[in-house]
Amino acid sequence: MMYLDEAARHSGLFQGSSLQAFLDWLHQEPETPPLLVDPHPDEERLQGDLVDGMPFAIIDAGGAARRAVFTVAVVNNTCDLQPGRSEFITVVPVFEFSAFEGGIRRGRRNRAAAADFLHSVKQNKVYEILYLADCPGFREGAVILLERMSAVSSNLYSTALSAGRRVASFSQNGFYYFLIRLTKYFARPETEEVQRI
């Protein structure tokens, strides 16, 4: 389980009073504070932006490439998103919470285990899942499944931006939240049972 207070304190992201301001924001009601705002009016290319209608591919268990079109969150750092900087960008799909919930409830979990897991997701305590209570285009909220990242051509990203398909940006605190989640998922320490040679 993830505890964001502890993660924020050890993140190295904050200077001066910004850590306390973030923690105060984190503990306000509702349980999961709003993370997203309308697309930034001045900065077109921002880490974490949600972009609609982007192709996304994964390799399935049989080794075949599976492709679909999703709203995605952009993972690359903002400086790496600038034109001509990188040939590819990394994205992660955004799913309607109700569809995700249905899959969990239909899965192998018993009813109580499914309810407990979904409650943890909504509290953002599951490392690989970021829950967005208020997400444009997703009536019942959304989830970002961090374990399902993919690379897409920067040209496709530029085309999506030119077509006005950015649907949201993270607020400043929402961006800190996003960075903490990425860091804790990908760079959390291993348990003491893992001994490397």
Side-chain angles (χ1 to χ4, degrees):
M1 288 286 182
M2 174 175 257
Y3 297 96
L4 282 167
D5 289 47
E6 178 186 332
R9 285 187 178 90
H10 295 96
S11 70
L13 291 172
F14 303 94
Q15 296 178 2
S17 61
S18 62
L19 173 60
Q20 190 56 53
F22 176 78
L23 293 174
D24 291 344
W25 169 84
L26 189 62
H27 293 291
Q28 69 185 348
E29 294 295 329
E31 193 169 277
T32 301
L35 304 174
L36 299 172
V37 295
D38 289 336
H40 195 284
D42 302 319
E43 298 291 336
E44 182 180 54
R45 297 168 183 256
L46 290 172
Q47 183 176 23
D49 275 0
L50 272 56
V51 181
D52 190 30
M54 290 289 289
F56 181 84
I58 60 169
I59 307 300
D60 68 18
R66 293 176 42 202
R67 179 192 179 278
V69 175
F70 288 101
T71 296
V72 298
V74 177
V75 177
N76 297 65
N77 187 280
T78 297
C79 69
D80 294 327
L81 296 173
Q82 303 315 307
R85 181 71 187 241
S86 299
E87 188 176 348
F88 293 93
I89 65 163
T90 305
V91 297
V92 62
V94 181
F95 291 95
E96 179 78 48
F97 181 77
S98 59
F100 172 79
E101 177 182 32
I104 295 299
R105 292 192 187 280
R106 286 187 303 275
R108 295 183 210 152
R109 301 173 186 272
N110 67 43
R111 188 174 290 170
D116 287 346
F117 177 74
L118 291 166
H119 181 71
S120 292
V121 167
K122 283 190 159 187
Q123 289 185 315
N124 270 313
K125 291 187 176 177
V126 179
Y127 281 106
E128 67 273 15
I129 303 170
L130 175 57
Y131 172 68
L132 303 169
D134 297 313
C135 187
F138 296 86
R139 287 190 353 226
E140 297 180 37
V143 290
I144 296 176
L145 303 181
L146 297 175
E147 66 185 2
R148 297 188 189 185
M149 291 191 180
S150 182
V152 298
S153 167
S154 295
N155 291 336
L156 292 173
Y157 174 59
S158 294
T159 299
L161 296 179
S162 296
R165 296 200 320 253
R166 273 193 323 152
V167 296
S169 294
F170 279 98
S171 66
Q172 186 63 49
N173 281 329
F175 177 63
Y176 289 143
Y177 196 94
F178 182 64
L179 289 182
I180 290 167
R181 294 303 304 269
L182 286 173
T183 303
K184 282 302 275 185
Y185 178 54
F186 287 109
R188 66 188 184 272
E190 293 178 334
T191 65
E192 292 181 6
E193 289 82 40
V194 177
Q195 295 294 316
R196 296 182 180 270
I197 297 176

Short mmCIF file of all heavy atoms in Angstrom, two decimals, residues 40-98:
data_model
loop_
_atom_site.label_atom_id
_atom_site.label_comp_id
_atom_site.label_asym_id
_atom_site.label_seq_id
_atom_site.Cartn_x
_atom_site.Cartn_y
_atom_site.Cartn_z
N HIS A 40 -3.59 23.47 -19.84
CA HIS A 40 -2.86 24.71 -19.54
C HIS A 40 -3.01 25.68 -20.72
O HIS A 40 -2.80 25.29 -21.87
CB HIS A 40 -1.39 24.39 -19.29
CG HIS A 40 -0.66 25.51 -18.64
ND1 HIS A 40 -0.26 26.62 -19.34
CD2 HIS A 40 -0.26 25.69 -17.35
CE1 HIS A 40 0.36 27.45 -18.52
NE2 HIS A 40 0.37 26.91 -17.31
N PRO A 41 -3.36 26.94 -20.45
CA PRO A 41 -3.63 27.87 -21.55
C PRO A 41 -2.37 28.34 -22.30
O PRO A 41 -2.47 28.76 -23.45
CB PRO A 41 -4.31 29.05 -20.85
CG PRO A 41 -3.82 29.00 -19.44
CD PRO A 41 -3.63 27.53 -19.14
N ASP A 42 -1.21 28.26 -21.66
CA ASP A 42 0.01 28.79 -22.27
C ASP A 42 1.01 27.72 -22.69
O ASP A 42 1.70 27.87 -23.68
CB ASP A 42 0.70 29.77 -21.31
CG ASP A 42 -0.22 30.92 -20.93
OD1 ASP A 42 -0.94 31.43 -21.82
OD2 ASP A 42 -0.24 31.29 -19.74
N GLU A 43 1.11 26.67 -21.90
CA GLU A 43 2.07 25.59 -22.18
C GLU A 43 1.35 24.45 -22.88
O GLU A 43 0.48 23.81 -22.30
CB GLU A 43 2.72 25.09 -20.89
CG GLU A 43 3.51 26.13 -20.14
CD GLU A 43 4.78 26.54 -20.88
OE1 GLU A 43 5.29 25.75 -21.70
OE2 GLU A 43 5.24 27.67 -20.66
N GLU A 44 1.72 24.18 -24.13
CA GLU A 44 1.03 23.15 -24.90
C GLU A 44 1.52 21.74 -24.59
O GLU A 44 0.78 20.77 -24.70
CB GLU A 44 1.23 23.43 -26.40
CG GLU A 44 0.51 22.44 -27.29
CD GLU A 44 0.72 22.71 -28.76
OE1 GLU A 44 1.88 22.79 -29.19
OE2 GLU A 44 -0.30 22.82 -29.47
N ARG A 45 2.78 21.60 -24.19
CA ARG A 45 3.38 20.28 -23.99
C ARG A 45 3.83 20.15 -22.54
O ARG A 45 4.87 20.70 -22.16
CB ARG A 45 4.57 20.11 -24.94
CG ARG A 45 4.17 20.13 -26.40
CD ARG A 45 5.37 20.26 -27.32
NE ARG A 45 4.96 20.36 -28.70
CZ ARG A 45 5.03 19.38 -29.59
NH1 ARG A 45 5.54 18.21 -29.22
NH2 ARG A 45 4.62 19.54 -30.82
N LEU A 46 3.04 19.42 -21.76
CA LEU A 46 3.34 19.25 -20.34
C LEU A 46 3.29 17.79 -19.93
O LEU A 46 2.40 17.04 -20.37
CB LEU A 46 2.33 20.02 -19.48
CG LEU A 46 2.41 21.55 -19.53
CD1 LEU A 46 1.24 22.15 -18.79
CD2 LEU A 46 3.73 22.02 -18.92
N GLN A 47 4.23 17.41 -19.08
CA GLN A 47 4.23 16.07 -18.51
C GLN A 47 2.91 15.86 -17.77
O GLN A 47 2.46 16.73 -17.03
CB GLN A 47 5.40 15.90 -17.54
CG GLN A 47 5.52 14.52 -16.96
CD GLN A 47 6.76 14.39 -16.07
OE1 GLN A 47 7.28 15.37 -15.55
NE2 GLN A 47 7.23 13.17 -15.92
N GLY A 48 2.30 14.70 -17.99
CA GLY A 48 1.06 14.36 -17.31
C GLY A 48 -0.19 14.74 -18.06
O GLY A 48 -1.28 14.28 -17.71
N ASP A 49 -0.09 15.59 -19.08
CA ASP A 49 -1.29 15.98 -19.82
C ASP A 49 -2.05 14.76 -20.32
O ASP A 49 -1.45 13.75 -20.70
CB ASP A 49 -0.94 16.86 -21.01
CG ASP A 49 -0.82 18.33 -20.65
OD1 ASP A 49 -1.00 18.69 -19.47
OD2 ASP A 49 -0.55 19.13 -21.56
N LEU A 50 -3.37 14.88 -20.33
CA LEU A 50 -4.22 13.83 -20.91
C LEU A 50 -4.57 14.23 -22.34
O LEU A 50 -4.99 15.36 -22.58
CB LEU A 50 -5.48 13.66 -20.08
CG LEU A 50 -5.39 12.69 -18.90
CD1 LEU A 50 -4.29 13.03 -17.95
CD2 LEU A 50 -6.71 12.59 -18.19
N VAL A 51 -4.33 13.30 -23.26
CA VAL A 51 -4.55 13.54 -24.69
C VAL A 51 -5.48 12.45 -25.20
O VAL A 51 -5.22 11.26 -25.02
CB VAL A 51 -3.21 13.53 -25.46
CG1 VAL A 51 -3.44 13.80 -26.94
CG2 VAL A 51 -2.24 14.56 -24.87
N ASP A 52 -6.55 12.86 -25.87
CA ASP A 52 -7.56 11.92 -26.36
C ASP A 52 -7.19 11.40 -27.75
O ASP A 52 -6.47 12.05 -28.51
CB ASP A 52 -8.92 12.63 -26.43
CG ASP A 52 -10.06 11.66 -26.69
OD1 ASP A 52 -9.97 10.50 -26.29
OD2 ASP A 52 -11.03 12.09 -27.33
N GLY A 53 -7.69 10.21 -28.06
CA GLY A 53 -7.56 9.66 -29.41
C GLY A 53 -6.16 9.27 -29.81
O GLY A 53 -5.79 9.37 -30.98
N MET A 54 -5.37 8.77 -28.86
CA MET A 54 -4.00 8.36 -29.16
C MET A 54 -3.93 6.84 -29.33
O MET A 54 -4.50 6.10 -28.53
CB MET A 54 -3.06 8.78 -28.03
CG MET A 54 -2.83 10.26 -27.94
SD MET A 54 -1.83 10.91 -29.29
CE MET A 54 -0.23 10.26 -28.87
N PRO A 55 -3.22 6.37 -30.36
CA PRO A 55 -3.03 4.92 -30.50
C PRO A 55 -2.14 4.42 -29.37
O PRO A 55 -1.26 5.12 -28.89
CB PRO A 55 -2.34 4.77 -31.86
CG PRO A 55 -1.69 6.09 -32.09
CD PRO A 55 -2.52 7.12 -31.39
N PHE A 56 -2.41 3.19 -28.96
CA PHE A 56 -1.69 2.59 -27.84
C PHE A 56 -1.53 1.10 -28.13
O PHE A 56 -2.46 0.46 -28.61
CB PHE A 56 -2.49 2.80 -26.55
CG PHE A 56 -1.81 2.25 -25.34
CD1 PHE A 56 -0.85 2.98 -24.67
CD2 PHE A 56 -2.12 0.98 -24.88
CE1 PHE A 56 -0.22 2.47 -23.55
CE2 PHE A 56 -1.49 0.46 -23.77
CZ PHE A 56 -0.53 1.21 -23.10
N ALA A 57 -0.36 0.55 -27.88
CA ALA A 57 -0.12 -0.87 -28.16
C ALA A 57 0.52 -1.55 -26.97
O ALA A 57 1.31 -0.95 -26.24
CB ALA A 57 0.78 -1.02 -29.38
N ILE A 58 0.15 -2.82 -26.77
CA ILE A 58 0.82 -3.68 -25.79
C ILE A 58 1.09 -5.02 -26.47
O ILE A 58 0.49 -5.35 -27.49
CB ILE A 58 -0.02 -3.90 -24.51
CG1 ILE A 58 -1.37 -4.57 -24.84
CG2 ILE A 58 -0.22 -2.62 -23.75
CD1 ILE A 58 -2.12 -5.06 -23.62
N ILE A 59 2.00 -5.78 -25.90
CA ILE A 59 2.29 -7.13 -26.38
C ILE A 59 1.57 -8.09 -25.44
O ILE A 59 1.82 -8.09 -24.23
CB ILE A 59 3.80 -7.42 -26.39
CG1 ILE A 59 4.56 -6.33 -27.15
CG2 ILE A 59 4.08 -8.81 -26.95
CD1 ILE A 59 4.16 -6.16 -28.59
N ASP A 60 0.67 -8.91 -25.98
CA ASP A 60 -0.12 -9.79 -25.13
C ASP A 60 0.66 -11.05 -24.76
O ASP A 60 1.82 -11.24 -25.16
CB ASP A 60 -1.47 -10.11 -25.77
CG ASP A 60 -1.36 -10.98 -27.02
OD1 ASP A 60 -0.32 -11.63 -27.26
OD2 ASP A 60 -2.36 -11.01 -27.78
N ALA A 61 0.03 -11.93 -23.99
CA ALA A 61 0.69 -13.14 -23.48
C ALA A 61 1.15 -14.06 -24.60
O ALA A 61 2.10 -14.84 -24.42
CB ALA A 61 -0.24 -13.89 -22.53
N GLY A 62 0.53 -14.00 -25.76
CA GLY A 62 0.93 -14.82 -26.89
C GLY A 62 2.01 -14.20 -27.75
O GLY A 62 2.43 -14.76 -28.76
N GLY A 63 2.46 -12.98 -27.36
CA GLY A 63 3.51 -12.30 -28.11
C GLY A 63 3.00 -11.44 -29.25
O GLY A 63 3.78 -10.88 -30.02
N ALA A 64 1.68 -11.30 -29.36
CA ALA A 64 1.10 -10.50 -30.43
C ALA A 64 0.91 -9.06 -29.96
O ALA A 64 0.58 -8.81 -28.79
CB ALA A 64 -0.24 -11.08 -30.87
N ALA A 65 1.09 -8.12 -30.88
CA ALA A 65 0.83 -6.72 -30.58
C ALA A 65 -0.66 -6.46 -30.65
O ALA A 65 -1.32 -6.84 -31.60
CB ALA A 65 1.58 -5.83 -31.56
N ARG A 66 -1.18 -5.84 -29.61
CA ARG A 66 -2.59 -5.44 -29.59
C ARG A 66 -2.64 -3.92 -29.55
O ARG A 66 -1.94 -3.29 -28.77
CB ARG A 66 -3.29 -6.04 -28.38
CG ARG A 66 -3.38 -7.55 -28.48
CD ARG A 66 -3.97 -8.21 -27.26
NE ARG A 66 -5.11 -7.49 -26.73
CZ ARG A 66 -5.52 -7.62 -25.47
NH1 ARG A 66 -4.90 -8.42 -24.64
NH2 ARG A 66 -6.56 -6.93 -25.03
N ARG A 67 -3.49 -3.35 -30.42
CA ARG A 67 -3.55 -1.90 -30.56
C ARG A 67 -4.97 -1.43 -30.33
O ARG A 67 -5.94 -2.08 -30.72
CB ARG A 67 -3.11 -1.52 -31.97
CG ARG A 67 -3.15 -0.05 -32.27
CD ARG A 67 -2.98 0.20 -33.77
NE ARG A 67 -3.04 1.58 -34.11
CZ ARG A 67 -4.15 2.29 -34.29
NH1 ARG A 67 -5.32 1.73 -34.12
NH2 ARG A 67 -4.09 3.56 -34.62
N ALA A 68 -5.09 -0.27 -29.68
CA ALA A 68 -6.39 0.38 -29.49
C ALA A 68 -6.14 1.88 -29.41
O ALA A 68 -5.00 2.32 -29.33
CB ALA A 68 -7.07 -0.13 -28.22
N VAL A 69 -7.21 2.64 -29.42
CA VAL A 69 -7.11 4.09 -29.29
C VAL A 69 -7.69 4.48 -27.93
O VAL A 69 -8.79 4.04 -27.56
CB VAL A 69 -7.88 4.78 -30.44
CG1 VAL A 69 -7.88 6.28 -30.25
CG2 VAL A 69 -7.25 4.41 -31.77
N PHE A 70 -6.93 5.28 -27.18
CA PHE A 70 -7.30 5.65 -25.82
C PHE A 70 -7.07 7.13 -25.59
O PHE A 70 -6.31 7.77 -26.32
CB PHE A 70 -6.42 4.92 -24.79
CG PHE A 70 -6.70 3.48 -24.63
CD1 PHE A 70 -5.90 2.53 -25.24
CD2 PHE A 70 -7.75 3.04 -23.83
CE1 PHE A 70 -6.13 1.18 -25.08
CE2 PHE A 70 -7.99 1.68 -23.67
CZ PHE A 70 -7.18 0.76 -24.29
N THR A 71 -7.63 7.63 -24.52
CA THR A 71 -7.10 8.83 -23.88
C THR A 71 -5.87 8.34 -23.12
O THR A 71 -5.92 7.28 -22.48
CB THR A 71 -8.12 9.46 -22.92
OG1 THR A 71 -9.25 9.91 -23.68
CG2 THR A 71 -7.52 10.62 -22.16
N VAL A 72 -4.78 9.08 -23.21
CA VAL A 72 -3.55 8.67 -22.54
C VAL A 72 -3.03 9.83 -21.68
O VAL A 72 -3.35 10.99 -21.93
CB VAL A 72 -2.45 8.25 -23.55
CG1 VAL A 72 -2.88 7.03 -24.36
CG2 VAL A 72 -2.03 9.40 -24.45
N ALA A 73 -2.22 9.46 -20.70
CA ALA A 73 -1.45 10.45 -19.94
C ALA A 73 -0.02 10.39 -20.46
O ALA A 73 0.52 9.31 -20.68
CB ALA A 73 -1.50 10.14 -18.45
N VAL A 74 0.58 11.56 -20.66
CA VAL A 74 1.94 11.66 -21.17
C VAL A 74 2.90 11.54 -19.99
O VAL A 74 2.78 12.25 -19.00
CB VAL A 74 2.15 12.99 -21.90
CG1 VAL A 74 3.58 13.14 -22.38
CG2 VAL A 74 1.17 13.11 -23.06
N VAL A 75 3.88 10.63 -20.08
CA VAL A 75 4.79 10.35 -18.98
C VAL A 75 6.09 11.14 -19.07
O VAL A 75 6.67 11.53 -18.05
CB VAL A 75 5.08 8.84 -18.90
CG1 VAL A 75 6.07 8.52 -17.79
CG2 VAL A 75 3.78 8.07 -18.67
N ASN A 76 6.55 11.44 -20.27
CA ASN A 76 7.85 12.12 -20.45
C ASN A 76 7.89 13.45 -19.71
O ASN A 76 6.90 14.15 -19.59
CB ASN A 76 8.11 12.42 -21.93
CG ASN A 76 8.22 11.18 -22.76
OD1 ASN A 76 7.25 10.46 -22.90
ND2 ASN A 76 9.39 10.94 -23.31
N ASN A 77 9.12 13.82 -19.29
CA ASN A 77 9.36 15.12 -18.71
C ASN A 77 9.03 16.20 -19.74
O ASN A 77 9.25 16.01 -20.94
CB ASN A 77 10.82 15.22 -18.27
CG ASN A 77 11.09 16.49 -17.52
OD1 ASN A 77 11.26 17.55 -18.12
ND2 ASN A 77 11.13 16.38 -16.21
N THR A 78 8.54 17.32 -19.29
CA THR A 78 8.13 18.41 -20.19
C THR A 78 9.23 18.80 -21.17
O THR A 78 8.97 19.02 -22.36
CB THR A 78 7.66 19.63 -19.37
OG1 THR A 78 6.50 19.24 -18.62
CG2 THR A 78 7.34 20.81 -20.24
N CYS A 79 10.49 18.88 -20.72
CA CYS A 79 11.56 19.30 -21.64
C CYS A 79 11.76 18.29 -22.76
O CYS A 79 12.14 18.67 -23.87
CB CYS A 79 12.85 19.58 -20.89
SG CYS A 79 13.66 18.14 -20.20
N ASP A 80 11.46 17.02 -22.52
CA ASP A 80 11.62 16.00 -23.56
C ASP A 80 10.45 15.95 -24.53
O ASP A 80 10.49 15.21 -25.51
CB ASP A 80 11.81 14.62 -22.92
CG ASP A 80 13.11 14.53 -22.14
OD1 ASP A 80 14.08 15.18 -22.55
OD2 ASP A 80 13.13 13.82 -21.12
N LEU A 81 9.42 16.74 -24.29
CA LEU A 81 8.25 16.77 -25.17
C LEU A 81 8.35 17.86 -26.23
O LEU A 81 7.51 17.93 -27.12
CB LEU A 81 6.98 17.00 -24.34
CG LEU A 81 6.63 15.91 -23.35
CD1 LEU A 81 5.45 16.35 -22.48
CD2 LEU A 81 6.31 14.61 -24.07
N GLN A 82 9.38 18.68 -26.14
CA GLN A 82 9.50 19.80 -27.08
C GLN A 82 9.81 19.28 -28.49
O GLN A 82 10.47 18.26 -28.65
CB GLN A 82 10.55 20.78 -26.60
CG GLN A 82 10.29 21.32 -25.20
CD GLN A 82 8.84 21.74 -24.98
OE1 GLN A 82 8.30 22.53 -25.75
NE2 GLN A 82 8.21 21.21 -23.94
N PRO A 83 9.33 19.99 -29.52
CA PRO A 83 9.53 19.53 -30.91
C PRO A 83 11.00 19.25 -31.22
O PRO A 83 11.89 20.01 -30.84
CB PRO A 83 9.02 20.71 -31.74
CG PRO A 83 8.04 21.40 -30.86
CD PRO A 83 8.58 21.24 -29.45
N GLY A 84 11.23 18.12 -31.88
CA GLY A 84 12.57 17.73 -32.29
C GLY A 84 13.43 17.13 -31.19
O GLY A 84 14.56 16.72 -31.43
N ARG A 85 12.91 17.02 -29.99
CA ARG A 85 13.72 16.53 -28.86
C ARG A 85 13.82 15.01 -28.83
O ARG A 85 14.87 14.45 -28.63
CB ARG A 85 13.11 17.05 -27.56
CG ARG A 85 13.83 16.67 -26.31
CD ARG A 85 15.15 17.39 -26.20
NE ARG A 85 15.92 16.91 -25.08
CZ ARG A 85 16.29 17.66 -24.07
NH1 ARG A 85 15.97 18.93 -24.04
NH2 ARG A 85 16.99 17.15 -23.10
N SER A 86 12.70 14.32 -29.01
CA SER A 86 12.67 12.86 -28.94
C SER A 86 11.81 12.32 -30.08
O SER A 86 10.81 12.92 -30.45
CB SER A 86 12.07 12.39 -27.62
OG SER A 86 12.83 12.84 -26.52
N GLU A 87 12.20 11.16 -30.59
CA GLU A 87 11.44 10.53 -31.67
C GLU A 87 10.15 9.89 -31.15
O GLU A 87 9.16 9.79 -31.86
CB GLU A 87 12.31 9.47 -32.35
CG GLU A 87 11.70 8.90 -33.60
CD GLU A 87 12.64 7.92 -34.30
OE1 GLU A 87 13.83 7.85 -33.96
OE2 GLU A 87 12.15 7.21 -35.19
N PHE A 88 10.17 9.46 -29.88
CA PHE A 88 9.01 8.80 -29.27
C PHE A 88 8.70 9.46 -27.94
O PHE A 88 9.57 10.04 -27.30
CB PHE A 88 9.28 7.32 -29.04
CG PHE A 88 9.42 6.53 -30.30
CD1 PHE A 88 10.66 6.33 -30.88
CD2 PHE A 88 8.30 6.00 -30.93
CE1 PHE A 88 10.79 5.61 -32.06
CE2 PHE A 88 8.42 5.29 -32.11
CZ PHE A 88 9.67 5.09 -32.67
N ILE A 89 7.44 9.33 -27.54
CA ILE A 89 7.05 9.72 -26.19
C ILE A 89 6.42 8.51 -25.52
O ILE A 89 5.94 7.59 -26.18
CB ILE A 89 6.07 10.92 -26.17
CG1 ILE A 89 4.73 10.55 -26.81
CG2 ILE A 89 6.69 12.14 -26.83
CD1 ILE A 89 3.63 11.53 -26.48
N THR A 90 6.45 8.50 -24.21
CA THR A 90 5.89 7.41 -23.43
C THR A 90 4.53 7.84 -22.89
O THR A 90 4.38 8.94 -22.35
CB THR A 90 6.83 7.04 -22.27
OG1 THR A 90 8.12 6.75 -22.80
CG2 THR A 90 6.32 5.84 -21.50
N VAL A 91 3.55 6.96 -23.07
CA VAL A 91 2.19 7.26 -22.63
C VAL A 91 1.64 6.08 -21.84
O VAL A 91 2.16 4.96 -21.91
CB VAL A 91 1.26 7.57 -23.83
CG1 VAL A 91 1.72 8.82 -24.56
CG2 VAL A 91 1.16 6.39 -24.78
N VAL A 92 0.60 6.36 -21.09
CA VAL A 92 -0.08 5.32 -20.31
C VAL A 92 -1.58 5.53 -20.48
O VAL A 92 -2.05 6.66 -20.51
CB VAL A 92 0.38 5.37 -18.84
CG1 VAL A 92 0.03 6.67 -18.16
CG2 VAL A 92 -0.13 4.19 -18.04
N PRO A 93 -2.35 4.44 -20.67
CA PRO A 93 -3.77 4.60 -20.95
C PRO A 93 -4.59 5.02 -19.74
O PRO A 93 -4.26 4.71 -18.60
CB PRO A 93 -4.20 3.20 -21.43
CG PRO A 93 -3.25 2.28 -20.75
CD PRO A 93 -1.95 3.03 -20.64
N VAL A 94 -5.67 5.72 -20.05
CA VAL A 94 -6.63 6.16 -19.04
C VAL A 94 -7.92 5.40 -19.30
O VAL A 94 -8.43 5.38 -20.42
CB VAL A 94 -6.88 7.69 -19.15
CG1 VAL A 94 -7.85 8.16 -18.08
CG2 VAL A 94 -5.56 8.46 -19.06
N PHE A 95 -8.46 4.75 -18.27
CA PHE A 95 -9.67 3.93 -18.40
C PHE A 95 -10.80 4.50 -17.56
O PHE A 95 -10.57 5.01 -16.46
CB PHE A 95 -9.41 2.49 -17.91
CG PHE A 95 -8.48 1.70 -18.77
CD1 PHE A 95 -7.14 1.63 -18.47
CD2 PHE A 95 -8.95 1.02 -19.88
CE1 PHE A 95 -6.26 0.90 -19.26
CE2 PHE A 95 -8.08 0.29 -20.69
CZ PHE A 95 -6.73 0.23 -20.37
N GLU A 96 -12.01 4.37 -18.07
CA GLU A 96 -13.22 4.73 -17.32
C GLU A 96 -13.26 3.87 -16.05
O GLU A 96 -13.08 2.65 -16.11
CB GLU A 96 -14.45 4.45 -18.18
CG GLU A 96 -15.76 4.76 -17.52
CD GLU A 96 -16.08 6.25 -17.51
OE1 GLU A 96 -15.96 6.89 -18.57
OE2 GLU A 96 -16.45 6.74 -16.44
N PHE A 97 -13.47 4.51 -14.90
CA PHE A 97 -13.47 3.75 -13.65
C PHE A 97 -14.54 2.67 -13.64
O PHE A 97 -14.30 1.55 -13.17
CB PHE A 97 -13.64 4.66 -12.42
CG PHE A 97 -13.62 3.88 -11.15
CD1 PHE A 97 -12.42 3.43 -10.61
CD2 PHE A 97 -14.79 3.54 -10.50
CE1 PHE A 97 -12.39 2.67 -9.45
CE2 PHE A 97 -14.78 2.78 -9.34
CZ PHE A 97 -13.57 2.34 -8.82
N SER A 98 -15.72 2.96 -14.18
CA SER A 98 -16.79 1.96 -14.13
C SER A 98 -16.42 0.70 -14.91
O SER A 98 -16.75 -0.41 -14.49
CB SER A 98 -18.11 2.55 -14.64
OG SER A 98 -17.96 3.00 -15.97
#
